[in-house]
Amino acid sequence: MASSWPVAQIRDLTVDYHGERGWTRAVDGVSLEIGNGEALGLAGESGSGKTTVAYTLLGERRGASRVGGQVLFRGRDILAMPAGELLSVRGRSIGFVPQNPMASLTPSMKVGGQVAEMLRFHAVETPQGVGARVVELLDSVGIPNPVAAARRYPHELSGGQQQRVAIAMALACRPDLVILDEPTTGLDVTTQKRILELLAALKRETAVSMLYVSHDLASLAQICERVAVMQKGRLVEVAHTSSLFADPRQEYTRDLIAAVPRLDRPPAGRIEAPPPRHAPNLLEIDRLAVSYARRPLFGLGKPPADADSVKGVSFAVQRGKTFALIGESGSGKSSIARAVAGLTRPRAGAIRFNGEALPALARQRSTLLRRKIQIIFQNPDSSLNPRKTVRSILARPLSMFSRLDAVAREARVIELLQAVRLDPAYADRRPHQLSGGERQRVAIARALAAEPELIICDEILSALDVSVQASVLQLLQTLQRERGLTYLFISHDLAVVRWFAQDIGVLRQGAFCELGDTETTLSAPKSPYTIQLLEAVPRIDAGPPPETQPA
Amino acid sequence: MVLTRFGIALISLLAVSVIIFWCVEMLPGDAAERILGRNATPEALALLREKLHLDLSAGQRYLRWLTAFLSGDMGTSLVAERPVADYISSRIANTALLSGLALLLYIPVSITLGVLTAIHRGKPVDHAISVVVLVLMCLPEFVIGILLISVFAIKLAWLPPLALIDQARSFGELLELIALPTITIVAAMSAYAVRMMRESLIEVLESSYVLMARLKGLPKRRVLLFHALPNALGPAINITALNVAWMIGGVVVVESVFEFPGIGRLMVDSISHKDVPVILAISMVMTGAYIATNLVADILVILLNPKLR
Amino acid sequence: MAVSDSAAPSQKAGTVRRGAGLSASGWVGAAIILTYVFVALTGAWWAPFGASQILTGEPFAGASLQHPFGTDNLGRDVFSRVVLGTRPVLAMTFSATVLAVLAGGLIGVIFGYLRNWVDEVGMRVVDILISIPTLVLALLIISAVGNSLWLVVVTVAFLFTPRVARVARAATLGVVTNDYIAAALARGESTLSICLREILPNISGVMLVEFAIRSAFAIIFIGSLGFLGFGAPPPTPEWGLMINEARANAVNSLWPVLAPAGAMAVLVIGINLFADSLSRLIDRQGSAAVAK
C-alpha cells in the first residue's frame, strides 16, 4: 500500500518521568523517520531512552508523566489519537515483538488462541479462516509442526519458539511497521542467530518496516539499513549502517563500536598476554561429574548418572593463565564453577589444586585453600548483600583470611577499591547506590581481598553493558599481569574469550566437544558445534542480509 | 499431582485426629467422673471406667475411637444422652446452610469489588472501597455482628436479632432469620479477599503479557477477562481457601452472637459441659471441612495454571 | 514485579529510594499505636474509676462528662474499664506475638536455610498444625489447660508459631538463592554466621511486617476468645469479655458494647495502616534483598 507519508516520523520527542526527586528527562528532543520498507536500528546502553522512544510509537507511555513533540504514523499523530483509534492502529498497523517472550505471552492461554485473537479483533480474517491462518503464520516463522504447537501453552515451548510465536503475532495483521524491543536478548547465541535470520527473511519477503531496538550493535548491523544511536535520552548519531560502522562521526559511537568484542581483531587497549610458555598446572580437573538431580527424601541413595549436568570432564588450568569454559545455557559450565568453588558436591571425579586433592565442599577445605580459590558471580545484584556497606563487604574476607588490625584493614579496603579503580569514598555506600559495573568491581575487589591464586569468573560480564564489559575485562587483565592471577573464565561469548583466554574448552550438554589453546582451536575448529558457535557470533562489518556473509 | 494432594490431606486429617484426641485427653477429670458427677461412689466409678474402657492405655483408646469413628459410630453425647451422629447432624445441616449461603454471596462480591478497585486504582472508587474494606478487616466478626444487630434489629427493628432458624415456619422467615449472620460472615470474609484480589490483579495488570495484549490492540474488556483475570484468580482462590478456613472458626463466633443453632455454638456449649464425644466429633468434622476446602482450592489452582497441570 | 533481565534504568530506582519513609497513613498508624501504648502505661494513674468499681453512677447511664462512655449494667464506668483494659490487652498481644515471631522466625530461618529432609519433615508438621482451624484448637487447648491470662498467651503464641514459620521460611528461601550466600559458603562461614550476618538482615523487614500483622490478628483473636468466655477470666477489663458481658443488655445501652469494640477496631486499624506502609517501604528498598 503506497502512501505519500513515510511510515513513521518522530518529531522533537521529549518524555519526562516524575519521580520522588522531581522530573527526570528520559528522552530529550529526538527526531527520527522510518521510511517505507526500511529497518531502522535504535542502539544505546541501558538508560539511554531507546525503549521509551519505541513505546511512544505504540502510544504507550509506560508511566511517563509528560510527553512532548509529535509521533506521526502515516501522518497521524499517535500521541493525540483517541483511544478507540489507537486500538485499531496497535496490532493492526503496528506490530510489536517484546524483549522477554516468556513473560510476554499470557501463561493461561494457548499460543494459537493468542495469535487468533489478533486476527479476530482486527477483523483481518473471516471467522472460518482464522484457524488455518494461525497455522500458516506459525509455519511461516519456522515453528515445526504448527498444528500441534498452536494447541500448546507458552511454557511448553522453548525460548526461541516463544519468540517466534511473538513474531508471528506481530506479523499476523500484515502491519506496516513492526517494533522489535531487544528481540534476541536472553536467548542463546545459536537461537539468537536463527531469530535474526528469520527477521531478515521476513523483512525481505513482506517489505514491512521495522524499528529494531537493541543494545547489541552487531545484530542491528545484520537487519537494519540505518542505525540511530542514543545516549542519555539524546540522539547522538543517525547514519546508514555501513557508514556508521566504517566511519562513526561521534566519539560516543566510536567508543560503543570499539567496545563490541570481535573475533577478527583484539579489543582496543588490550594488554598483551604473557608469552605462551608452559607453566605448571594450578588446577586439574579429573573426570568430574556433577548431578543436579534432587536427592530422594532423607538424602538416601545416590542420584543416577544419567541426570548428570557435567559428564566426566577433565582439563587443567596453568598457573598465571586464563582458561575459558564456553557453552550455552544448560551446558554445565556453571556446575563446574560451583564444584571448583566447593559449592556443589561432585557426583564423581577429582579436583586437584597445586597437585593436592581438593575436599569437595568449601567447609571441608582448609582456610588456606579457601583463601587461594575465589569466585566471582554473574550478577553483582545477587552476589553482594544489599544490607551491607562496601566496607563491610570487603572487610569480611580480610578478617577471615588475614590477621590485620582495624587500622590496617581499613587501609586494605581503600587499597582494594583503588585496585579495581573505584573511588575510596565508595566504602560507605551500599550496593544499590552503585551502578552495575561498579558493583561488579566491588565483587572483584572482594575476591582480591583474599589474595587468591585462582579466581573463578562465572559469566561475570553478561549482566553488564558492552562498554562496561570492555573496561572490566581490561581490569581483569591488568590484575592478572600485576598479581600473576589464574582465571577460570566461564562465558557464552566466544568473541570475548578469543582475546582474553589462552586455553579454551567448549562444553556441550556436560561434555567437551573441543579443548585446546584458544588460537588453534578457534582458527581451525574441529567440532561442528564450535563452528556453529563461531558462525553465530554477530559481526559488525558484515552488512545485511546474513546469508551473503562469509561463514 | 492431584493424587498426592489427596494423600497428604488424608494423612493430615489422621495426624489432626491424634492431636485433637490428645488435647481432649488432657481435659481435667476422666469421662467416668464427668458422667457420674462429684458424688459418685468409687465402686460406680470403677464399674463405669471399665465399661468405657478407661482402663486401657490412651493409644488403645485412640484406636478404638478411630475405628468406631470411621465406621460411623461417634459415640454417645454425655449431655444429650443421644448418639452423637444424629445429635449433630441437624446442626451440621444448619451450619452448612449458613456457610453455603455466605460463600455464594462472597464469591461475586469479592471478585467484583476486587476488580473494581484494581482497574480504578488510585481513583475515588478505589479509595472508598479500600477504606470500607480496611475497616471491615479490622473489626472482629463478633463486633460486626453486634453492630448489625444494634442497627437492623434494635434501632430499625427490620430483622430479628437472633437467628433461631429452627423456629422458622416459612422460607421467607428462614431468610429473615439467617440474613444477619450471613451478612456478618460475608462482610468479614470479603474484606481479605477484596484486598487480595486487588493486589494480585494489579500485579498481573502490570505484567509484560498484559502490556503485550494491550499493544496487540485488543479491547480493554478482552484484556481484562482473558489475559488478566485468569492469571489473577490463583492467589484469590488461595485466599478463599484461607477464608473458608477462617469461616470454620468464625462460624463459632458468629453462631454464638446470633445464637444460631449450628455446630459452632454446639462446640462452645459442649466444651463448657465437657461433652467429650461431641467435642471430638465436631472438631473432626470442622477440620475435615477445612482440609477438604484446601484440597479443592489446591486442585482448582492446579487446573487454572497450565504450568502446574 | 515482573522479572526483567535487562538492567532497570538505574536513575529510576534511585529516585524512588531517596526520601523514602513511612507514608502519611503509616504515620497515622504509628501515632495510634503509640497512643495506645501510652494509655496502657499510664492509664492506671488517671483513669477516673477502678475497673471493677460498681455503681459509680446509674446503671446504663448514657455518655456524660463524668462517664464519657456511659456505665454498664453494674454501674461501672465504661471509659475507665476501656482505658484500664488497654494494659492487659496490649500485654497479652505483645507477649503472644513476640513469642510466636521469635519461635516461628527461628524455625523458618533454619528450615529455609537447611532445605534438606529436616525441612521437608518439619514443614509437613507445620502444614498439619496449620490445617487445624485456629479457634477450634484454641478452644480445645484452653479448655484442657484452663484459662489464665498467661495460658491464653502461650496458646495464641503456639497457634501463630507455625504460620510465622511459614512466612519466615519463604522469606529465607528468597534470600538463600542469592549468590552472596554462595560467596559466604565458599569463604567457609559457619551456618550460624550465615544465618545471622547474611540472612537475618535481609529478612528482618519481612519479619517486622509479619510481627505487625500478627499483632493485629492476635488482638482480634484474643478478643474473640474473651467474647466466647475462653479468654481472660472476669472481671479482667479485657475488651472481648466486656463486649460479651454487655451484649445481653444491648437493648438498654449500646455504650458498653460500642466502646470496647471501637477501642479494639481503632487499634487494629492503626496497626494495619502501619504494617501496610511498612511493607511498602520495604518493598521499595532493595527489591532484590527482600523476598516476598
Side-chain angles (χ1 to χ4, degrees), chain A residues 60 87 90-91 96 103-104 106-108 114 117-118 121-122 153 155 169, chain B residues 208-209 211-212 214-219 222 226-227 230-231 304 306-307 309:
Chain A
E60 180 66 31
L87 281 190
R90 279 180 177 181
F96 175 70
S104 303
T106 303
S108 59
Q114 299 192 42
E117 64 179 358
M118 295 278 291
F121 277 91
H122 293 299
Y153 287 97
H155 73 274
M169 235 187 285
Chain B
S208 306
Y209 55 84
L211 175 67
M212 179 75 189
R214 288 198 293 114
L215 294 182
K216 278 158 80 177
L218 299 176
R222 171 90 191 170
F226 287 81
H227 293 268
N231 297 295
L304 258 179
K307 276 189 215 177
R309 229 178 276 161

mmCIF file of all heavy atoms in Angstrom, chain A residues 60 87 90-91 96 103-104 106-108 114 117-118 121-122 153 155 169, chain B residues 208-209 211-212 214-219 222 226-227 230-231 304 306-307 309:
data_model
loop_
_atom_site.group_PDB
_atom_site.id
_atom_site.type_symbol
_atom_site.label_atom_id
_atom_site.label_comp_id
_atom_site.label_asym_id
_atom_site.label_seq_id
_atom_site.Cartn_x
_atom_site.Cartn_y
_atom_site.Cartn_z
ATOM 1 N N GLU A 60 2.171 4.110 23.885
ATOM 2 C CA GLU A 60 2.246 3.578 25.246
ATOM 3 C C GLU A 60 3.209 4.446 26.038
ATOM 4 O O GLU A 60 4.360 4.614 25.647
ATOM 5 C CB GLU A 60 2.737 2.124 25.192
ATOM 6 C CG GLU A 60 2.866 1.448 26.521
ATOM 7 C CD GLU A 60 1.531 1.255 27.218
ATOM 8 O OE1 GLU A 60 0.509 1.093 26.527
ATOM 9 O OE2 GLU A 60 1.519 1.296 28.460
ATOM 10 N N LEU A 87 -6.463 1.803 19.328
ATOM 11 C CA LEU A 87 -6.603 0.345 19.372
ATOM 12 C C LEU A 87 -6.582 -0.245 17.973
ATOM 13 O O LEU A 87 -6.110 -1.356 17.765
ATOM 14 C CB LEU A 87 -7.904 -0.043 20.074
ATOM 15 C CG LEU A 87 -7.902 0.008 21.598
ATOM 16 C CD1 LEU A 87 -9.168 -0.627 22.127
ATOM 17 C CD2 LEU A 87 -6.679 -0.698 22.156
ATOM 18 N N ARG A 90 -2.762 -0.151 16.867
ATOM 19 C CA ARG A 90 -1.947 -1.132 17.587
ATOM 20 C C ARG A 90 -2.263 -2.539 17.095
ATOM 21 O O ARG A 90 -3.427 -2.926 17.026
ATOM 22 C CB ARG A 90 -2.294 -1.110 19.073
ATOM 23 C CG ARG A 90 -1.637 -0.015 19.828
ATOM 24 C CD ARG A 90 -2.079 -0.139 21.262
ATOM 25 N NE ARG A 90 -1.421 0.869 22.077
ATOM 26 C CZ ARG A 90 -1.614 0.971 23.372
ATOM 27 N NH1 ARG A 90 -2.426 0.148 24.006
ATOM 28 N NH2 ARG A 90 -0.986 1.888 24.059
ATOM 29 N N GLY A 91 -1.264 -3.281 16.819
ATOM 30 C CA GLY A 91 -1.502 -4.661 16.412
ATOM 31 C C GLY A 91 -1.902 -4.740 14.949
ATOM 32 O O GLY A 91 -1.349 -5.504 14.184
ATOM 33 N N PHE A 96 4.252 -5.579 17.377
ATOM 34 C CA PHE A 96 5.215 -5.410 18.461
ATOM 35 C C PHE A 96 5.812 -6.763 18.840
ATOM 36 O O PHE A 96 5.090 -7.729 19.046
ATOM 37 C CB PHE A 96 4.514 -4.779 19.666
ATOM 38 C CG PHE A 96 5.374 -4.670 20.888
ATOM 39 C CD1 PHE A 96 6.437 -3.769 20.925
ATOM 40 C CD2 PHE A 96 5.144 -5.467 22.001
ATOM 41 C CE1 PHE A 96 7.235 -3.667 22.039
ATOM 42 C CE2 PHE A 96 5.952 -5.365 23.133
ATOM 43 C CZ PHE A 96 6.998 -4.463 23.144
ATOM 44 N N ALA A 103 7.733 -13.941 29.441
ATOM 45 C CA ALA A 103 6.911 -13.102 30.310
ATOM 46 C C ALA A 103 5.834 -12.374 29.527
ATOM 47 O O ALA A 103 4.904 -11.842 30.103
ATOM 48 C CB ALA A 103 7.784 -12.100 31.060
ATOM 49 N N SER A 104 5.964 -12.350 28.204
ATOM 50 C CA SER A 104 5.054 -11.530 27.423
ATOM 51 C C SER A 104 3.920 -12.306 26.776
ATOM 52 O O SER A 104 3.046 -11.725 26.162
ATOM 53 C CB SER A 104 5.828 -10.778 26.328
ATOM 54 O OG SER A 104 6.831 -10.001 26.914
ATOM 55 N N THR A 106 0.670 -14.609 27.442
ATOM 56 C CA THR A 106 -0.226 -14.888 28.561
ATOM 57 C C THR A 106 -0.151 -16.365 28.941
ATOM 58 O O THR A 106 -0.422 -17.228 28.105
ATOM 59 C CB THR A 106 -1.666 -14.512 28.183
ATOM 60 O OG1 THR A 106 -1.672 -13.145 27.806
ATOM 61 C CG2 THR A 106 -2.609 -14.722 29.343
ATOM 62 N N PRO A 107 0.246 -16.663 30.189
ATOM 63 C CA PRO A 107 0.511 -18.057 30.550
ATOM 64 C C PRO A 107 -0.725 -18.946 30.518
ATOM 65 O O PRO A 107 -0.604 -20.147 30.328
ATOM 66 C CB PRO A 107 1.078 -17.971 31.971
ATOM 67 C CG PRO A 107 0.741 -16.619 32.462
ATOM 68 C CD PRO A 107 0.592 -15.732 31.275
ATOM 69 N N SER A 108 -1.908 -18.359 30.671
ATOM 70 C CA SER A 108 -3.101 -19.205 30.781
ATOM 71 C C SER A 108 -3.781 -19.444 29.439
ATOM 72 O O SER A 108 -4.823 -20.057 29.407
ATOM 73 C CB SER A 108 -4.080 -18.549 31.744
ATOM 74 O OG SER A 108 -4.418 -17.262 31.269
ATOM 75 N N GLN A 114 -3.756 -17.022 21.196
ATOM 76 C CA GLN A 114 -3.214 -15.668 21.311
ATOM 77 C C GLN A 114 -2.948 -15.061 19.937
ATOM 78 O O GLN A 114 -3.053 -13.853 19.762
ATOM 79 C CB GLN A 114 -1.933 -15.679 22.156
ATOM 80 C CG GLN A 114 -2.198 -16.175 23.554
ATOM 81 C CD GLN A 114 -1.053 -15.939 24.516
ATOM 82 O OE1 GLN A 114 -0.439 -14.895 24.522
ATOM 83 N NE2 GLN A 114 -0.763 -16.924 25.355
ATOM 84 N N GLU A 117 -6.658 -14.328 18.316
ATOM 85 C CA GLU A 117 -7.453 -13.182 18.762
ATOM 86 C C GLU A 117 -7.056 -11.895 18.040
ATOM 87 O O GLU A 117 -7.871 -11.012 17.841
ATOM 88 C CB GLU A 117 -7.372 -13.016 20.284
ATOM 89 C CG GLU A 117 -5.991 -12.701 20.792
ATOM 90 C CD GLU A 117 -5.965 -12.511 22.304
ATOM 91 O OE1 GLU A 117 -7.027 -12.595 22.933
ATOM 92 O OE2 GLU A 117 -4.876 -12.280 22.844
ATOM 93 N N MET A 118 -5.788 -11.816 17.624
ATOM 94 C CA MET A 118 -5.361 -10.665 16.829
ATOM 95 C C MET A 118 -6.179 -10.584 15.550
ATOM 96 O O MET A 118 -6.708 -9.549 15.166
ATOM 97 C CB MET A 118 -3.900 -10.821 16.381
ATOM 98 C CG MET A 118 -2.884 -10.822 17.441
ATOM 99 S SD MET A 118 -2.476 -9.172 17.918
ATOM 100 C CE MET A 118 -1.637 -8.564 16.478
ATOM 101 N N PHE A 121 -9.984 -9.793 16.355
ATOM 102 C CA PHE A 121 -10.364 -8.452 16.802
ATOM 103 C C PHE A 121 -10.058 -7.379 15.779
ATOM 104 O O PHE A 121 -10.699 -6.344 15.750
ATOM 105 C CB PHE A 121 -9.717 -8.136 18.146
ATOM 106 C CG PHE A 121 -10.518 -8.711 19.263
ATOM 107 C CD1 PHE A 121 -10.255 -9.983 19.727
ATOM 108 C CD2 PHE A 121 -11.590 -8.004 19.805
ATOM 109 C CE1 PHE A 121 -11.021 -10.538 20.723
ATOM 110 C CE2 PHE A 121 -12.354 -8.558 20.794
ATOM 111 C CZ PHE A 121 -12.079 -9.829 21.264
ATOM 112 N N HIS A 122 -9.050 -7.627 14.953
ATOM 113 C CA HIS A 122 -8.782 -6.636 13.928
ATOM 114 C C HIS A 122 -9.497 -6.980 12.633
ATOM 115 O O HIS A 122 -9.294 -6.329 11.612
ATOM 116 C CB HIS A 122 -7.277 -6.502 13.702
ATOM 117 C CG HIS A 122 -6.580 -5.923 14.899
ATOM 118 N ND1 HIS A 122 -6.865 -4.673 15.381
ATOM 119 C CD2 HIS A 122 -5.644 -6.430 15.728
ATOM 120 C CE1 HIS A 122 -6.117 -4.428 16.445
ATOM 121 N NE2 HIS A 122 -5.375 -5.485 16.685
ATOM 122 N N TYR A 153 0.606 -24.422 25.452
ATOM 123 C CA TYR A 153 0.709 -23.221 26.276
ATOM 124 C C TYR A 153 2.128 -22.665 26.151
ATOM 125 O O TYR A 153 3.062 -23.425 25.878
ATOM 126 C CB TYR A 153 0.403 -23.557 27.740
ATOM 127 C CG TYR A 153 -1.060 -23.815 27.973
ATOM 128 C CD1 TYR A 153 -1.573 -25.106 27.995
ATOM 129 C CD2 TYR A 153 -1.937 -22.754 28.145
ATOM 130 C CE1 TYR A 153 -2.921 -25.342 28.196
ATOM 131 C CE2 TYR A 153 -3.289 -22.973 28.343
ATOM 132 C CZ TYR A 153 -3.780 -24.267 28.366
ATOM 133 O OH TYR A 153 -5.104 -24.477 28.552
ATOM 134 N N HIS A 155 4.527 -21.945 28.121
ATOM 135 C CA HIS A 155 5.641 -22.542 28.859
ATOM 136 C C HIS A 155 6.061 -23.890 28.274
ATOM 137 O O HIS A 155 7.102 -24.417 28.644
ATOM 138 C CB HIS A 155 5.276 -22.706 30.331
ATOM 139 C CG HIS A 155 4.299 -23.813 30.585
ATOM 140 N ND1 HIS A 155 2.947 -23.634 30.494
ATOM 141 C CD2 HIS A 155 4.490 -25.106 30.889
ATOM 142 C CE1 HIS A 155 2.346 -24.773 30.742
ATOM 143 N NE2 HIS A 155 3.247 -25.689 30.985
ATOM 144 N N MET A 169 2.727 -13.264 15.865
ATOM 145 C CA MET A 169 1.653 -12.401 16.334
ATOM 146 C C MET A 169 1.822 -10.991 15.778
ATOM 147 O O MET A 169 0.857 -10.361 15.344
ATOM 148 C CB MET A 169 1.709 -12.358 17.854
ATOM 149 C CG MET A 169 0.419 -12.754 18.509
ATOM 150 S SD MET A 169 0.507 -12.477 20.257
ATOM 151 C CE MET A 169 1.499 -13.757 20.825
ATOM 152 N N SER B 208 4.190 -8.131 31.820
ATOM 153 C CA SER B 208 4.531 -7.934 30.410
ATOM 154 C C SER B 208 3.448 -8.489 29.502
ATOM 155 O O SER B 208 3.207 -7.951 28.429
ATOM 156 C CB SER B 208 5.838 -8.641 30.088
ATOM 157 O OG SER B 208 6.834 -8.241 30.964
ATOM 158 N N TYR B 209 2.796 -9.588 29.908
ATOM 159 C CA TYR B 209 1.841 -10.168 28.966
ATOM 160 C C TYR B 209 0.572 -9.345 28.853
ATOM 161 O O TYR B 209 -0.077 -9.353 27.811
ATOM 162 C CB TYR B 209 1.551 -11.646 29.268
ATOM 163 C CG TYR B 209 1.081 -11.982 30.655
ATOM 164 C CD1 TYR B 209 -0.257 -11.876 31.007
ATOM 165 C CD2 TYR B 209 1.973 -12.445 31.606
ATOM 166 C CE1 TYR B 209 -0.682 -12.212 32.283
ATOM 167 C CE2 TYR B 209 1.556 -12.776 32.877
ATOM 168 C CZ TYR B 209 0.227 -12.662 33.213
ATOM 169 O OH TYR B 209 -0.195 -12.984 34.465
ATOM 170 N N LEU B 211 0.648 -6.038 29.102
ATOM 171 C CA LEU B 211 1.130 -4.951 28.240
ATOM 172 C C LEU B 211 1.094 -5.403 26.783
ATOM 173 O O LEU B 211 0.616 -4.708 25.894
ATOM 174 C CB LEU B 211 2.549 -4.566 28.643
ATOM 175 C CG LEU B 211 3.223 -3.524 27.753
ATOM 176 C CD1 LEU B 211 2.535 -2.187 27.895
ATOM 177 C CD2 LEU B 211 4.702 -3.402 28.070
ATOM 178 N N MET B 212 1.584 -6.615 26.577
ATOM 179 C CA MET B 212 1.618 -7.198 25.240
ATOM 180 C C MET B 212 0.205 -7.264 24.659
ATOM 181 O O MET B 212 -0.021 -6.900 23.508
ATOM 182 C CB MET B 212 2.237 -8.595 25.338
ATOM 183 C CG MET B 212 2.319 -9.340 24.041
ATOM 184 S SD MET B 212 3.639 -8.692 23.005
ATOM 185 C CE MET B 212 3.283 -9.583 21.502
ATOM 186 N N ARG B 214 -2.308 -5.469 25.394
ATOM 187 C CA ARG B 214 -2.794 -4.128 25.063
ATOM 188 C C ARG B 214 -2.147 -3.630 23.774
ATOM 189 O O ARG B 214 -2.785 -2.999 22.952
ATOM 190 C CB ARG B 214 -2.499 -3.168 26.218
ATOM 191 C CG ARG B 214 -3.398 -3.440 27.422
ATOM 192 C CD ARG B 214 -3.441 -2.281 28.390
ATOM 193 N NE ARG B 214 -2.169 -2.070 29.045
ATOM 194 C CZ ARG B 214 -1.423 -1.005 28.863
ATOM 195 N NH1 ARG B 214 -1.811 -0.054 28.039
ATOM 196 N NH2 ARG B 214 -0.278 -0.892 29.501
ATOM 197 N N LEU B 215 -0.851 -3.943 23.629
ATOM 198 C CA LEU B 215 -0.145 -3.477 22.430
ATOM 199 C C LEU B 215 -0.615 -4.226 21.184
ATOM 200 O O LEU B 215 -0.342 -3.823 20.069
ATOM 201 C CB LEU B 215 1.364 -3.624 22.607
ATOM 202 C CG LEU B 215 1.961 -2.732 23.692
ATOM 203 C CD1 LEU B 215 3.459 -2.916 23.772
ATOM 204 C CD2 LEU B 215 1.622 -1.275 23.448
ATOM 205 N N LYS B 216 -1.296 -5.356 21.403
ATOM 206 C CA LYS B 216 -1.873 -6.054 20.260
ATOM 207 C C LYS B 216 -3.137 -5.351 19.787
ATOM 208 O O LYS B 216 -3.737 -5.753 18.791
ATOM 209 C CB LYS B 216 -2.239 -7.493 20.664
ATOM 210 C CG LYS B 216 -1.065 -8.463 20.622
ATOM 211 C CD LYS B 216 -1.299 -9.676 21.512
ATOM 212 C CE LYS B 216 -2.185 -10.707 20.867
ATOM 213 N NZ LYS B 216 -2.340 -11.898 21.735
ATOM 214 N N GLY B 217 -3.558 -4.335 20.536
ATOM 215 C CA GLY B 217 -4.746 -3.593 20.125
ATOM 216 C C GLY B 217 -6.040 -4.258 20.532
ATOM 217 O O GLY B 217 -7.081 -4.009 19.924
ATOM 218 N N LEU B 218 -5.985 -5.105 21.557
ATOM 219 C CA LEU B 218 -7.210 -5.762 21.997
ATOM 220 C C LEU B 218 -8.024 -4.793 22.852
ATOM 221 O O LEU B 218 -7.467 -3.963 23.564
ATOM 222 C CB LEU B 218 -6.874 -7.002 22.825
ATOM 223 C CG LEU B 218 -6.070 -8.076 22.093
ATOM 224 C CD1 LEU B 218 -5.734 -9.203 23.053
ATOM 225 C CD2 LEU B 218 -6.870 -8.620 20.922
ATOM 226 N N PRO B 219 -9.362 -4.909 22.792
ATOM 227 C CA PRO B 219 -10.188 -4.034 23.635
ATOM 228 C C PRO B 219 -9.965 -4.329 25.122
ATOM 229 O O PRO B 219 -9.618 -5.449 25.496
ATOM 230 C CB PRO B 219 -11.621 -4.387 23.230
ATOM 231 C CG PRO B 219 -11.542 -5.392 22.151
ATOM 232 C CD PRO B 219 -10.137 -5.790 21.930
ATOM 233 N N ARG B 222 -11.529 -7.441 26.720
ATOM 234 C CA ARG B 222 -10.873 -8.689 26.337
ATOM 235 C C ARG B 222 -9.588 -8.883 27.145
ATOM 236 O O ARG B 222 -9.301 -9.951 27.655
ATOM 237 C CB ARG B 222 -10.554 -8.636 24.841
ATOM 238 C CG ARG B 222 -9.692 -9.745 24.310
ATOM 239 C CD ARG B 222 -10.502 -10.911 23.844
ATOM 240 N NE ARG B 222 -9.652 -12.065 23.589
ATOM 241 C CZ ARG B 222 -10.116 -13.283 23.349
ATOM 242 N NH1 ARG B 222 -11.403 -13.494 23.348
ATOM 243 N NH2 ARG B 222 -9.295 -14.276 23.112
ATOM 244 N N PHE B 226 -9.688 -12.084 29.580
ATOM 245 C CA PHE B 226 -8.995 -13.255 29.052
ATOM 246 C C PHE B 226 -7.509 -13.291 29.390
ATOM 247 O O PHE B 226 -6.917 -14.346 29.464
ATOM 248 C CB PHE B 226 -9.198 -13.367 27.539
ATOM 249 C CG PHE B 226 -10.581 -13.808 27.172
ATOM 250 C CD1 PHE B 226 -11.630 -12.900 27.145
ATOM 251 C CD2 PHE B 226 -10.845 -15.141 26.903
ATOM 252 C CE1 PHE B 226 -12.914 -13.309 26.836
ATOM 253 C CE2 PHE B 226 -12.122 -15.557 26.591
ATOM 254 C CZ PHE B 226 -13.155 -14.643 26.561
ATOM 255 N N HIS B 227 -6.895 -12.118 29.554
ATOM 256 C CA HIS B 227 -5.457 -12.123 29.798
ATOM 257 C C HIS B 227 -5.126 -11.881 31.275
ATOM 258 O O HIS B 227 -4.200 -12.462 31.800
ATOM 259 C CB HIS B 227 -4.757 -11.093 28.917
ATOM 260 C CG HIS B 227 -4.808 -11.443 27.463
ATOM 261 N ND1 HIS B 227 -3.826 -12.172 26.851
ATOM 262 C CD2 HIS B 227 -5.746 -11.212 26.517
ATOM 263 C CE1 HIS B 227 -4.155 -12.352 25.570
ATOM 264 N NE2 HIS B 227 -5.310 -11.782 25.352
ATOM 265 N N PRO B 230 -7.796 -14.584 34.511
ATOM 266 C CA PRO B 230 -7.466 -15.998 34.770
ATOM 267 C C PRO B 230 -6.158 -16.150 35.545
ATOM 268 O O PRO B 230 -6.012 -17.070 36.341
ATOM 269 C CB PRO B 230 -7.323 -16.597 33.367
ATOM 270 C CG PRO B 230 -8.078 -15.700 32.480
ATOM 271 C CD PRO B 230 -7.974 -14.338 33.072
ATOM 272 N N ASN B 231 -5.221 -15.228 35.323
ATOM 273 C CA ASN B 231 -3.936 -15.351 35.986
ATOM 274 C C ASN B 231 -3.934 -14.706 37.366
ATOM 275 O O ASN B 231 -3.013 -14.900 38.146
ATOM 276 C CB ASN B 231 -2.841 -14.735 35.121
ATOM 277 C CG ASN B 231 -2.708 -15.483 33.812
ATOM 278 O OD1 ASN B 231 -2.339 -16.640 33.799
ATOM 279 N ND2 ASN B 231 -3.058 -14.832 32.716
ATOM 280 N N LEU B 304 -6.265 -24.189 37.004
ATOM 281 C CA LEU B 304 -6.231 -22.857 36.394
ATOM 282 C C LEU B 304 -4.882 -22.530 35.778
ATOM 283 O O LEU B 304 -4.791 -21.733 34.864
ATOM 284 C CB LEU B 304 -6.540 -21.806 37.458
ATOM 285 C CG LEU B 304 -7.943 -21.227 37.463
ATOM 286 C CD1 LEU B 304 -8.086 -20.223 38.573
ATOM 287 C CD2 LEU B 304 -8.286 -20.597 36.131
ATOM 288 N N PRO B 306 -1.827 -23.614 33.715
ATOM 289 C CA PRO B 306 -1.350 -24.680 32.830
ATOM 290 C C PRO B 306 0.063 -25.147 33.165
ATOM 291 O O PRO B 306 0.429 -26.275 32.873
ATOM 292 C CB PRO B 306 -1.403 -24.048 31.440
ATOM 293 C CG PRO B 306 -1.740 -22.630 31.617
ATOM 294 C CD PRO B 306 -2.227 -22.412 32.994
ATOM 295 N N LYS B 307 0.838 -24.293 33.816
ATOM 296 C CA LYS B 307 2.205 -24.690 34.149
ATOM 297 C C LYS B 307 2.227 -25.810 35.181
ATOM 298 O O LYS B 307 3.173 -26.574 35.250
ATOM 299 C CB LYS B 307 2.963 -23.500 34.727
ATOM 300 C CG LYS B 307 3.539 -22.620 33.660
ATOM 301 C CD LYS B 307 4.462 -21.598 34.285
ATOM 302 C CE LYS B 307 4.366 -20.313 33.516
ATOM 303 N NZ LYS B 307 5.159 -19.252 34.085
ATOM 304 N N ARG B 309 -0.268 -28.027 35.565
ATOM 305 C CA ARG B 309 -1.090 -29.157 35.158
ATOM 306 C C ARG B 309 -0.255 -30.362 34.775
ATOM 307 O O ARG B 309 0.849 -30.204 34.271
ATOM 308 C CB ARG B 309 -1.968 -28.741 33.979
ATOM 309 C CG ARG B 309 -3.410 -29.123 34.193
ATOM 310 C CD ARG B 309 -4.244 -28.657 33.031
ATOM 311 N NE ARG B 309 -4.627 -27.256 33.210
ATOM 312 C CZ ARG B 309 -5.043 -26.497 32.183
ATOM 313 N NH1 ARG B 309 -5.087 -26.982 30.975
ATOM 314 N NH2 ARG B 309 -5.407 -25.259 32.398
#
